[in-house]
């Protein structure tokens, strides 16, 4: 019996992904454990292994297809003795047996005539609804056609078994295919998904005299846009800033690195910051929390997410149990995670979770900034550059290396006094690093 291969969920939050590459073709023999495809998620490109032996009978989703929902059938594997010519591709109307929805809400919103005003213009096109639902087309192709006002049934498909894919809709747009008749029913429903997307060049075209290029958003950039828009619109942020003198820290860092010269480990200022943040969370557990609707999560371990800039965006790998690690262990772990992030080799276990985030732009010379909270976490600490500034000590003017640190707090979970208490503990560890050993 033929074996259906579904789009896998490669992380707890993954809803869709890009089928980047097929590493096998139709007719190839496949053994359990063989890597058959590469899937691009919002964090990294990951390999997909076959869990059965057989022959690749049908590839239903072509390489390079974006926004493939988790649970959608992407290929069919023939078992030993089966004739691949006898295997038929499943109907696009049949949902995949997965807890995740196989189609996106946008695909079903437009054909629904129920909310339409009772006018003759609204009733007339209702007969075309069943036709659209039977058209073999990818969810992405349907969504693009709906947003651009194209009749999906009028487009010729070039995908497997005549399936309409993204490139067919784009070709129709370039060739000037007439858009589907607009109706009172289609208007408000079709515009709802488009209103949630960032303005594109087709909506706000650049000035004709300014050279530009258009680039489709990667899965990573889409996720960043979605999560941070959600954060700034639904999470009540407030900000607290302290200035930390780090001359003692810099001196002790140099001394420690001299002692570690033969080990290959090099401790950075950021490693001290991670350690100090973790210890401050242990000292002020009310800051190590997350808001969850009608309840709060209080975490007994400090898992620190550190923002790492990579090509196309940023990721936040997690240093788990940072409060229980020494500086050398933190340095090694942080370095390994940063390398994996920049090479696109993070696995879900590397970035899932985290109870508190740190974003450090000091190495870019940024003096001070406010970071956006990484939901569902309750706070994030933004670190500026350490620089020499005039300070007053014992009534006299002096010079010290000062670093500005701004904490963004979710006011639903962290009150102002709790945030201030955390920063007081953090500043104490940073300004007198030897206390991190106590």
């Amino acid at each position: 019996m033929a074996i259906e291969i579904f789009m896998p969920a490669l992380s707890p939050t993954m809803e869709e992904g890009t089928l980047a590459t097929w590493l096998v073709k139709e007719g190839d023999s496949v053994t359990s454990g063989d890597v058959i495809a590469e899937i691009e998620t919002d964090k990294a490109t990951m390999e997909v292994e076959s869990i059965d032996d057989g022959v690749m009978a049908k590839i239903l989703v072509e390489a390079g297809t974006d926004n493939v929902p988790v649970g959608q059938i992407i290929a069919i594997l023939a078992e030993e003795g089966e004739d691949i010519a006898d295997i038929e591709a499943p109907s696009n109307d049949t949902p995949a047996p997965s807890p995740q929805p196989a189609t996106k809400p946008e695909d079903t919103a437009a054909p629904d005539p129920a909310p339409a005003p009772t006018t003759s213009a609204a009733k007339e096109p209702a007969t075309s609804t069943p036709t659209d639902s039977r058209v073999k087309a990818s969810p992405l192709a349907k969504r693009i056609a709906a947003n651009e006002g194209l009749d999906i049934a009028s487009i010729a498909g070039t995908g497997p078994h005549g399936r309409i894919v993204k490139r067919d809709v784009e070709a129709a747009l370039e060739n000037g295919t007439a858009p589907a008749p607009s109706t009172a029913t289609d208007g408000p429903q079709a515009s709802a998904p488009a209103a949630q997307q960032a303005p594109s060049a087709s909506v706000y075209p650049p000035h004709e005299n300014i050279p530009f290029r258009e680039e489709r958003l990667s899965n990573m950039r889409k996720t960043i846009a979605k999560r941070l828009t959600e954060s700034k619109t639904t999470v009540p942020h407030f900000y607290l800033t302290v200035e930390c003198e780090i001359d003692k820290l810099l001196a002790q860092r140099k001394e420690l690195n001299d002692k570690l010269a033969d080990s290959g480990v090099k401790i950075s200022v950021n490693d001290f910051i991670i350690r100090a943040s973790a210890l401050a969370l242990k000292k002020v557990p009310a800051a190590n929390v997350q808001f969850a609707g009608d309840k709060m999560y209080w975490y007994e371990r400090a898992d620190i997410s550190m923002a790492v800039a990579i090509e196309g965006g940023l990721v936040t790998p997690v240093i788990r149990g940072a409060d229980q690690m020494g500086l050398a262990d933190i340095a090694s772990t942080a370095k390994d995670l940063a390398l994996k992030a920049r090479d696109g080799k993070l696995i879900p276990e590397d970035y899932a979770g985290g109870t508190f985030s740190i974003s450090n732009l000091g190495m870019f010379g940024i003096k001070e900034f406010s970071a956006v909270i990484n939901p569902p976490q309750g706070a994030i600490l933004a670190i500026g550059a350490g620089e020499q500034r005039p300070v007053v000590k014992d009534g006299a003017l002096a010079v010290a290396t000062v670093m500005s640190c701004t904490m963004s707090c979710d006011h639903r979970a962290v009150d102002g006094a709790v945030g201030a208490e955390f920063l007081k503990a953090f500043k104490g560890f940073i300004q007198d690093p030897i206390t991190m050993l106590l």
Side-chain angles (χ1 to χ4, degrees):
M1 182 177 178
I3 302 165
E4 295 176 334
I5 301 174
F6 301 100
M7 184 68 169
L10 300 176
S11 73
T13 58
M14 178 177 170
E15 296 179 357
E16 59 185 23
T18 297
L19 207 161
T21 309
W22 280 108
L23 302 179
V24 295
K25 58 183 181 295
E26 292 184 359
D28 286 355
S29 295
V30 175
T31 303
S32 177
D34 287 351
V35 178
I36 59 173
E38 292 181 343
I39 304 295
E40 180 185 325
T41 71
D42 57 324
K43 303 291 185 182
T45 299
M46 305 182 68
E47 297 177 338
V48 176
E49 297 181 356
S50 174
I51 59 173
D52 294 285
D53 299 340
V55 176
M56 184 59 67
K58 304 287 182 183
I59 291 178
L60 306 179
V61 177
E62 64 180 10
T65 302
D66 297 328
N67 303 96
V68 182
V70 168
Q72 178 174 320
I73 301 173
I74 59 175
I76 298 178
L77 199 65
E79 291 185 316
E80 185 177 354
E82 280 189 294
D83 187 348
I84 62 174
D86 296 335
I87 296 177
E88 296 184 2
S91 169
N92 196 47
D93 298 331
T94 305
S98 167
Q100 299 281 351
T103 57
K104 305 300 285 180
E106 294 92 326
D107 299 335
T108 56
D112 182 9
T118 55
T119 64
S120 58
K123 294 177 182 176
E124 209 169 291
T127 56
S128 66
T129 301
T131 303
D132 290 346
S133 66
R134 290 197 298 268
V135 172
K136 290 184 177 180
S138 71
L140 177 61
K142 288 182 179 181
R143 183 159 64 253
I144 295 175
N147 290 342
E148 297 294 340
L150 289 180
D151 182 1
I152 192 74
S154 68
I155 301 174
T158 61
H161 309 286
R163 194 166 185 251
I164 300 169
V165 294
K166 177 180 69 172
R167 65 166 178 262
D168 300 324
V169 180
E170 292 174 342
L173 290 170
E174 291 176 2
N175 295 334
T177 300
S182 61
T183 69
T185 301
D186 295 335
Q189 294 183 354
S191 63
Q196 298 169 7
Q197 298 175 0
S200 64
S202 61
V203 179
Y204 300 109
H207 193 283
E208 59 182 3
N209 296 327
I210 302 176
F212 75 98
R213 65 184 178 90
E214 183 175 311
E215 184 177 294
R216 290 193 175 276
L217 294 182
S218 65
N219 287 340
M220 178 184 298
R221 182 53 60 185
K222 289 177 184 177
T223 300
I224 291 171
K226 176 183 176 182
R227 287 174 58 81
L228 297 189
T229 298
E230 173 193 348
S231 178
K232 287 295 286 186
T233 54
T234 65
V235 177
H237 288 56
F238 73 91
Y239 309 95
L240 301 169
T241 300
V242 294
E243 294 187 344
C244 303
E245 296 181 18
I246 60 171
D247 293 291
K248 283 187 179 180
L249 185 150
L250 295 175
Q252 291 190 4
R253 171 179 175 259
K254 182 179 184 306
E255 185 177 343
L256 287 173
N257 281 334
D258 288 342
K259 294 181 182 298
L260 293 170
D262 297 332
S263 67
V265 176
K266 188 173 183 180
I267 299 172
S268 68
V269 172
N270 202 56
D271 299 326
F272 278 92
I273 292 168
I274 292 171
R275 171 75 171 158
S277 298
L279 292 177
L281 290 173
K282 292 294 287 186
K283 192 171 183 179
V284 187
N288 198 24
V289 297
Q290 290 180 6
F291 176 82
D294 60 349
K295 54 183 175 283
M296 290 266 288
Y297 295 128
W298 290 63
Y299 293 102
E300 298 178 358
R301 189 180 73 187
D303 288 359
I304 305 296
S305 302
M306 61 174 190
V308 177
I310 62 174
E311 185 177 356
L314 77 158
V315 291
T316 52
V318 181
I319 299 177
R320 303 188 188 280
D323 54 303
Q324 303 161 16
M325 301 170 66
L327 286 168
D329 289 337
I330 289 175
S332 297
T333 303
K335 180 181 178 181
D336 291 344
L337 288 172
L339 288 175
K340 289 174 70 175
R342 294 185 179 109
D343 292 340
K345 295 181 178 179
L346 291 175
I347 59 176
E349 290 77 9
D350 291 331
Y351 55 78
T355 66
F356 185 90
S357 287
I358 293 174
S359 180
N360 189 346
L361 292 180
M363 65 285 294
F364 297 104
I366 300 301
K367 179 178 180 179
E368 181 182 340
F369 70 104
S370 300
V372 181
I373 294 170
N374 181 21
Q377 295 178 10
I380 183 171
L381 188 62
I383 307 297
E387 58 183 7
Q388 289 197 326
R389 302 179 197 171
V391 296
V392 177
K393 293 185 177 181
D394 299 325
L397 192 63
V399 176
T401 307
V402 179
M403 178 177 72
S404 295
C405 306
T406 299
M407 184 180 182
S408 305
C409 303
D410 178 352
H411 215 325
R412 300 170 302 177
V414 180
D415 292 330
V418 172
E421 191 178 354
F422 168 86
L423 286 179
K424 179 181 178 181
F426 171 80
K427 181 175 180 177
F429 289 126
I430 289 294
Q431 295 198 155
D432 195 3
I434 198 170
T435 58
M436 296 188 200
L437 301 176
L438 299 175

